[in-house]
Amino acid sequence: MAVAEVGGALTGPEATPLLAVGDAVVDLVPQPVKELAIALFGTADKVVLLGGMGVVLAGVAAGIGSLARGRRWIGDAGIALFGAIGVLAALTRPDSGPLDALPSLVGAAAAVGTLRLLLALAPEAPAAATPTGPMAGDTASGFEDGDGHGEPRARVGFDRRRFVAVAGATAALSGAVGTGARWYSSSRVDPAGTREAVSLPRPASPAPPLADGVELDVADQPPFFTPNEDFYRIDTVLSVPRIDARAWRLRVHGRGVTEREYTFDDLLNRSDLAERDITLACVSNQVGGSLVGNARWIGVPLAGLLREVGVRPPDEGGPADQLVSRSSDGMTIGTPVSDVMDGRDAMLALGMNGEPLPVRHGFPLRMVVPGLYGYVSACKWLVELELTTFDAFDAYWVPRGWSREAPVKTQSRIDTPGGADTLDAGTVTVAGVAWAQNVGIENVEVRVDEGVWHEATLAAEDTADTWRQWTFEWDASPGEHRLTVRATDRDGRTQTAEEAPPSPNGATGHHSVDVTVAS
Ligand SMILES: Nc1nc2c(c(=O)[nH]1)N[C@H]1C(S)=C(S)[C@@H](COP(=O)(O)O)O[C@H]1N2
Ligand SMILES: [Mo]
């Protein structure tokens, strides 16, 4: 695996067996298993996957190595099988080329050599390798090889210390080489093309300073703008793409488009850059969950850029109803053309909360569309926009059971008090957020136990595209209580109490927390 990582320094780390097989697993696992993994491990699912692969590999390698003591071909065949899986995974990744077979091949070759070395020092296989039955009598001493080589059995000269020392040194060397190769791969992006080298221009259309009263001052309530370090991250990549922004291009093509390529500088230097506050939400967010965040984005207005290359929305007779965004890692995301051109602030974002887009959040460029879940709008590490139809193409998540189109469902969440809190009787400030991007929040209501709904106090609105904080002063009486929240948006839709899971197009239900009030 370590030598394969060195090979990956030539081909790109995505082609190494660890990442290629890991990425293939991410793409192939059935949806229920994936959901279970996210439910159990949250955003640590990637670490768990890679760790799990490591454990499986170590176990299988130990088994193969052990069997190979008796029959060498088992070792070679086992390694060949794993090498073949690595090659297959690397060659079937999106945008792969023949060279991507290299890491698995050199890795397998190194594994064969390592196994030889260790077998030469290892004890001979125990009784299992010694035939019982008619032939067994020939080697009554047990020091002769059962398969007729007639060599003295290694067991005689087995030097446990030497074996452990060599095996340990091999493991340590592998760890160092593998880590070094990975570090090298991640650090070889041209510094001039990294986000550190980018300075964000002042947008022609800046967002006004946050109005008074948008952000409430309640302890334990998350800030109105989610800091980039705390912003949730959801994607399928096991290793975050490191894109050289100077070599990067955005290609726009497809039906009804005058094909065009943009460089990063083309976009940075545009005169129509806009700064907008938009709350992004993941379709996988459970009711009350944290896969939602709010940021101040800077970017190119998407509708303007599309108009510039000739795109017309379907209601103006345009031939494409789907905008497919592709990322450098091969992700495809499908968005209705009518949505991104209906006047909302859909953008190609290159700045997030005053900084160039963090690498984890899509550097150098991503999409953000107010009112659509991330999986149908917010493509990170964007490299291509294709105008097509929903009939002609299904984006990544669609064959995996998620809806083609998925507007964000109006939702609300209680942030404080938390479920585990024990409160003092008296006035308790209940606070949280509610969101209905592209529409806006009309009101929020809170209820205690099975009582009546009370109107909460809304914070000032930033924009209809952002979440809105709210508070409710509750006169808490001793005992166990359940607090429940629901929101109504400006289209007059009140959140349904009916519980639906995230799949296929977003969870529904009311968020509630159970609290204990001390007497
Ligand atoms: N390239 C790529 N872009 C992607 C995804 C992905 O898996 N790959 N996931 C999408 C999903 S499901 C969501 S919710 C948002 C999350 O964006 P964030 O990680 O910046 O919060 O990114 C979207 N863009
Ligand atoms: Mo998502």
Side-chain angles (χ1 to χ4, degrees), residues 66 95 99 104 140 144 154 172 252 271 297 354 360 388 401:
S66 185
D95 299 329
L99 194 64
S104 295
E144 292 290 320
V252 191
S271 58
W297 310 90
R360 298 176 344 130
T388 179

Side-chain angles (χ1 to χ4, degrees), residues 143-218:
F143 290 123
E144 292 290 320
D145 211 346
D147 62 17
H149 289 174
E151 291 160 357
R153 300 212 62 162
R155 200 185 296 171
V156 173
F158 174 51
D159 180 344
R160 178 175 296 272
R161 270 197 205 172
R162 182 142 179 256
F163 176 75
V164 171
V166 174
T170 308
L173 186 67
S174 301
V177 168
T179 318
R182 193 126 292 264
W183 176 82
Y184 172 79
S185 297
S186 66
S187 65
R188 70 187 181 140
V189 173
D190 179 355
T194 61
R195 72 185 284 273
E196 286 70 29
V198 173
S199 59
L200 282 182
R202 219 186 110 71
S205 167
L210 204 58
D212 282 346
V214 169
E215 180 160 47
L216 301 175
D217 184 18
V218 176

Side-chain angles (χ1 to χ4, degrees), residues 327-502:
S327 76
S328 71
D329 64 287
M331 171 57 67
T332 54
I333 282 181
T335 312
V337 174
S338 52
D339 284 355
V340 300
M341 298 186 83
D342 70 357
R344 74 182 80 193
D345 285 318
M347 58 162 80
L348 300 177
L350 37 80
M352 182 177 183
N353 288 327
E355 294 172 14
L357 216 51
V359 172
R360 298 176 344 130
H361 295 292
F363 180 81
L365 193 75
R366 76 173 305 167
M367 271 188 31
V368 178
V369 182
L372 302 183
Y373 285 120
Y375 87 103
V376 287
S377 68
C379 191
K380 305 192 273 189
W381 312 293
L382 187 63
V383 293
E384 187 183 321
L385 293 174
E386 179 179 359
L387 277 293
T388 179
T389 61
F390 280 101
D391 281 344
F393 184 77
D394 275 344
Y396 182 88
W397 295 105
V398 174
R400 289 167 173 82
W402 299 85
S403 301
R404 277 197 177 81
E405 299 192 29
V408 173
K409 293 178 182 172
T410 299
Q411 265 294 347
S412 53
R413 185 178 78 190
I414 298 172
D415 289 316
T416 179
D421 296 356
T422 297
L423 310 168
D424 293 332
T427 303
V428 169
T429 301
V430 183
V433 281
W435 58 91
Q437 294 93 319
N438 197 40
V439 178
I441 289 292
E442 178 68 30
N443 71 37
V444 169
E445 295 161 291
V446 174
R447 131 177 123 157
V448 182
D449 302 320
E450 299 304 307
V452 296
W453 290 100
H454 299 279
E455 190 121 346
T457 306
L458 290 177
E461 178 175 77
D462 178 24
T463 73
D465 295 335
T466 56
W467 59 17
R468 196 158 172 189
Q469 297 185 337
W470 57 265
T471 56
F472 173 69
E473 300 299 326
W474 171 41
D475 186 14
S477 59
E480 311 268 313
H481 295 289
R482 169 166 294 186
L483 300 166
T484 305
V485 65
R486 74 174 183 191
T488 300
D489 64 33
R490 286 224 189 84
D491 283 344
R493 283 174 309 210
T494 300
Q495 275 180 254
T496 172
E498 205 164 306
E499 290 179 14

